[in-house]
């Protein structure tokens, strides 16, 4: 038996003020390469691997591209995951080995499915002065992790609620449902709260949720979250109340899903189930395998994979799984 049964896990405790929110702090990660972009990463971290199937949350900006140089990510591969690009400001040109050529703009979902293998480039356009947004990854469940490449674009209609404007890019919230399908039950939405605005949302009680605050201070079920912090709420609540504690509009991205029970190995741009999966994907990228295809129209070389660590990479799940000893 897992000693951390539902209801006793961190974040799942009820108190007089409601369910407890676990605050996950970001760490700064320089992306490297010729430009100097640094992101704030809140997932994965030691305390948490997943929120639903969401396995990666990078938050960046607002960056003045005249200073940072903006984004210029040369051809690189992905396996076993989907990428979500969501911008608050700026514009990114996306190209991939499916042949997609798209412009990522604020308020527009761009969802790329890597599946068995894909490669892509992401470059902020010359029109961009301020670059500001998030990059999110979704782990594909084992039965679909070798699915074919795919790319979807969706512009959600803003939903106006008491005190809030909501854009649902995946799943359902506030009466809106994204038409973009997911491989596991998922939620992804941008929420902008009026100054001192409060909104209470009906949520799926089987979902766990994460609120990444972009701007302002937002109270999530009784816990104040500052910009770049990620609040985590375990399954069990059928509602979520968010309050902007500031005099200016506040903004956040809400992610959610049913707890992802599988363990994964996540290394560089690959998600697999074993160290051997990662070794194989790395070798095939280095060899120029058709597994990842080719990106047309990018004026530069592919990004070589870094060296593997000497040790075998162990699969990981959420901490409750790690404590599950027999
Ligand atoms: Mn990528």
């Amino acid at each position: 038996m897992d000693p951390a049964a539902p209801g006793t896990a961190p974040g799942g405790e009820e108190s007089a003020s409601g369910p407890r929110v676990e605050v996950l702090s970001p760490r700064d990660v320089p992306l490297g390469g010729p430009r100097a972009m640094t992101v704030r990463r809140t997932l994965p971290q030691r305390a948490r691997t997943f929120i639903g199937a969401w396995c990666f949350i990078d938050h960046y900006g607002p960056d003045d591209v005249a200073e940072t140089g903006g984004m210029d990510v040369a051809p690189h591969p992905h396996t076993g995951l989907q990428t979500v690009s969501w911008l608050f400001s700026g514009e990114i040109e996306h190209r991939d080995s499916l042949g997609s050529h798209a412009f990522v703009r604020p308020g527009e979902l761009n969802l790329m499915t890597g599946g068995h293998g894909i490669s892509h480039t992401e470059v902020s356009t010359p029109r961009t002065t301020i670059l500001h947004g998030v990059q999110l990854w979704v782990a594909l469940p084992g039965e679909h992790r070798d699915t074919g490449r795919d790319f979807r674009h969706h512009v959600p209609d803003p939903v106006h609620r008491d005190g809030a404007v909501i854009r649902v890019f995946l799943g359902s919230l506030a009466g809106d449902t994204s038409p973009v399908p997911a491989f596991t039950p998922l939620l992804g939405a941008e929420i902008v709260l009026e100054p001192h605005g409060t909104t209470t949302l009906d949520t799926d009680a089987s979902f766990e949720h994460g609120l990444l605050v972009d701007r302002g201070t937002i109270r999530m079920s009784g816990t104040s979250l500052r910009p770049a912090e990620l609040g985590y709420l375990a399954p069990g609540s059928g509602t979520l109340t968010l309050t902007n504690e500031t005099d200016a509009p506040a903004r956040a991205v809400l992610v959610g899903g049913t707890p992802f029970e599988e363990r994964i190995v996540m290394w560089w741009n690959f998600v697999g189930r074993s160290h051997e999966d990662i070794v194989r994907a790395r070798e095939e990228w280095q060899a120029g395998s058709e597994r990842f295809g080719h990106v047309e129209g990018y004026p530069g070389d592919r990004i070589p994979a870094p060296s593997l660590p000497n040790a075998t990479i162990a699969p990981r799940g959420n901490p409750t799984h790690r404590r599950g000893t027999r």
Side-chain angles (χ1 to χ4, degrees):
M1 284 291 292
D2 188 333
T8 61
E13 295 168 12
E14 299 279 341
S15 70
S17 60
R20 197 175 88 190
V21 171
E22 182 183 333
V23 181
L24 299 166
S25 299
R27 65 183 190 282
D28 287 344
V29 179
L31 291 187
R35 299 187 182 183
M37 201 168 152
T38 296
V39 301
R40 297 175 292 275
R41 187 164 298 163
T42 41
L43 207 66
Q45 57 175 280
R46 186 171 294 276
R48 184 150 295 281
T49 303
F50 300 109
I51 297 176
W54 299 99
C55 62
F56 186 89
I57 298 179
D58 268 3
H59 178 214
Y60 53 87
D63 288 337
D64 181 349
V65 302
E67 277 177 36
T68 63
M71 182 184 286
D72 185 358
V73 187
H76 63 280
H78 287 291
T79 62
L81 58 81
Q82 297 176 295
T83 64
V84 168
S85 302
W86 184 264
L87 287 178
F88 306 124
S89 175
E91 184 183 59
I92 295 169
E93 187 172 14
H94 164 97
R95 297 173 189 271
D96 66 39
S97 57
L98 189 66
S100 315
H101 180 210
F103 290 90
V104 182
R105 296 181 176 122
E108 303 185 2
L109 170 71
N110 288 272
L111 174 75
M112 184 182 79
T113 301
H116 185 62
I118 199 168
S119 53
H120 74 140
T121 61
E122 298 155 292
V123 181
S124 51
T125 65
R127 285 190 285 269
T128 299
T129 53
I130 300 293
L131 192 60
H132 188 186
V134 293
Q135 161 110 195
L136 314 170
W137 292 359
V138 175
L140 292 171
E143 60 179 321
H144 295 297
R145 67 191 181 99
D146 285 320
T147 190
R149 301 166 190 159
D150 193 24
F151 183 82
R152 302 290 180 105
H153 177 256
H154 171 59
V155 185
D157 288 329
V159 178
H160 293 265
R161 293 278 297 246
D162 45 323
V165 179
I166 299 166
R167 289 175 168 82
V168 182
F169 53 83
L170 279 175
S172 295
L173 187 71
D176 192 31
T177 297
S178 170
V180 177
F183 290 91
T184 54
L186 275 187
L187 171 65
E190 180 194 276
I191 300 174
V192 175
L193 292 161
E194 293 170 3
H196 298 286
T198 291
T199 192
T200 295
L201 300 161
D202 290 331
T203 53
D204 187 325
S206 69
F207 278 24
E208 51 188 356
H209 291 91
L211 187 79
L212 174 72
V213 176
D214 172 59
R215 192 170 67 196
T217 300
I218 298 177
R219 196 161 73 244
M220 178 192 199
S221 299
T223 298
S224 290
L225 301 168
R226 293 169 299 183
E229 288 181 337
L230 177 67
Y232 170 79
L233 194 57
S237 303
T239 62
L240 180 62
T241 298
L242 303 176
T243 301
N244 177 3
E245 298 186 317
T246 69
D247 295 330
R251 181 167 51 204
V253 172
L254 180 66
V255 297
T258 51
F260 194 79
E261 303 291 353
E262 298 180 47
R263 290 163 172 264
I264 63 171
V265 177
M266 193 164 130
W267 179 83
W268 193 43
N269 293 303
F270 303 132
V271 169
R273 291 299 182 278
S274 66
H275 181 83
E276 291 69 33
D277 286 347
I278 300 297
V279 169
R280 192 176 316 117
R282 183 186 179 281
E283 281 174 358
E284 288 174 350
W285 173 249
Q286 294 300 86
S289 162
E290 273 307 313
R291 175 173 181 178
F292 301 103
H294 299 279
V295 183
E296 301 293 336
Y298 180 85
D301 295 335
R302 299 156 23 115
I303 300 178
S307 299
L308 281 163
N310 285 323
T312 299
I313 311 168
R316 57 179 293 185
N318 275 330
T320 50
H321 298 180
R322 285 209 298 276
R323 288 203 296 272
T325 52
R326 287 169 189 274

